[in-house]
Amino acid sequence: MKGYFARNLFDIAGGYAPAKIVLTAGKIGFFTPPFDPVEPETFAGNHHVSQRGIYLLLQALVALGIFQKRGEAYLLKEEVRDLFERYPGLRWDLVHQDHLYRVWERLDEGVRMGHSPDPPEEELAQYPDSLEVFLRAMNMHASGLFSGISALPGWEKVAQLLDIGGGGAGFALPLVRRLEALTVTLFDLPDAIAVTERIIQDDPCANRIHLCTGNAYADPLPMGPFDRILISHLLHIYPMEDNQRLIERAASRLKRGGDLWLVDYFLDEDEMAPLEAVLFRLLLFIGTPQGECYTFATARQWLVRVGLTVREPVPLGRGNSLLIGSKG
């Protein structure tokens, strides 16, 4: 048992190496279509990078089982290529994960200071390009939760959905594709809405997504009334009191018989599970001014205080959970 723990501990401590190899490959463009074979000398000349560095990186990617070598060229393994072709948003998620890697590097500073360190100026200068990367990465994240959300009963009764803070349309777009009778009102900040317009503009179902700009915590919400309201991965950015007010205002936009869905990284009462939520809470501590993961009990109280009947939490995977409050 002691030997197992030691190996596991060293695997965790050394996990940065394969992670950084994959993230660097994504930044360099190895996972970007058309996935042509890579020859180190040619690639280095075309991209003005080190030939030896590219060679060593590709060798490591072969050792990790991501690339294979044929002659002097390196190719993505077929199953890896299929993954990127099936999920185009994956390459955006890798760019976002590389940003998070740099945030995690500030953990020791944040722990000593007791609050989030100021981000470097170069990170701030990347906005709004970084917003598009973030929203497209969040769409990839949403795709992993969509099957659990869409499989829940009752969608046949939902004609009007309000998606608060749903920029990127990670849930809105697949929902209107699947449900022909559904119309979604997506409410988010102006910059997020501008990116969302670009994401959905060529989709034949986009005409059933109505984009509305505003700050959900300061501006009036769309009037509705709505059969269902979704607030996904927004609550962890804001303080408890602000979230209570938002939920009160959202509940007022529900039809009788409608429900309010909260999707987030909710914590158990001891705040030590689910693991992904515990890790995400630490990321919020070092990466945001006031971000916090809340317990199931806290979120349940938000719903109860506005007169909603709360069901048991629904686990969605990867530390995410759904809380539903119904309006009688």
Side-chain angles (χ1 to χ4, degrees), residues 81-132:
R81 177 174 178 152
D82 288 346
L83 186 67
F84 279 95
E85 288 177 341
R86 190 162 65 251
Y87 301 106
L90 183 55
R91 66 187 183 92
W92 294 96
D93 189 54
L94 288 179
V95 176
H96 177 59
Q97 293 299 330
D98 186 67
H99 165 71
L100 295 183
Y101 191 100
R102 296 194 299 274
V103 175
W104 278 111
E105 288 178 329
R106 304 199 290 268
L107 176 60
D108 56 343
E109 183 182 359
V111 169
R112 286 196 300 270
M113 295 169 55
H115 60 80
S116 168
D118 292 332
E121 287 296 325
E122 59 266 23
E123 286 188 22
L124 298 176
Q126 292 173 359
Y127 186 88
D129 291 343
S130 59
L131 175 63
E132 179 155 4

Side-chain angles (χ1 to χ4, degrees), residues 194-211:
V195 173
T196 305
E197 286 179 326
R198 292 196 294 273
I199 291 174
I200 71 173
Q201 62 184 354
D202 295 326
D203 194 284
C205 296
N207 63 321
R208 288 189 284 118
I209 300 177
H210 302 154
L211 302 178

Side-chain angles (χ1 to χ4, degrees), residues 267 271 276-286 292-293:
L267 292 162
E271 300 183 349
E276 296 91 339
V278 175
L279 298 181
F280 186 69
R281 187 188 197 189
L282 191 56
L283 178 64
L284 291 173
F285 169 70
I286 56 174
E292 175 65 287
C293 286

Side-chain angles (χ1 to χ4, degrees), residues 69-85:
K69 188 176 183 183
R70 291 183 183 170
E72 297 302 313
Y74 296 79
L75 299 85
L76 271 179
K77 280 195 168 181
E78 185 175 351
E79 57 268 31
V80 179
R81 177 174 178 152
D82 288 346
L83 186 67
F84 279 95
E85 288 177 341

Side-chain angles (χ1 to χ4, degrees), residues 152-167:
L152 291 171
W155 280 108
E156 71 281 357
K157 300 176 183 177
V158 179
Q160 296 287 336
L161 170 72
L162 174 60
D163 187 357
I164 298 176

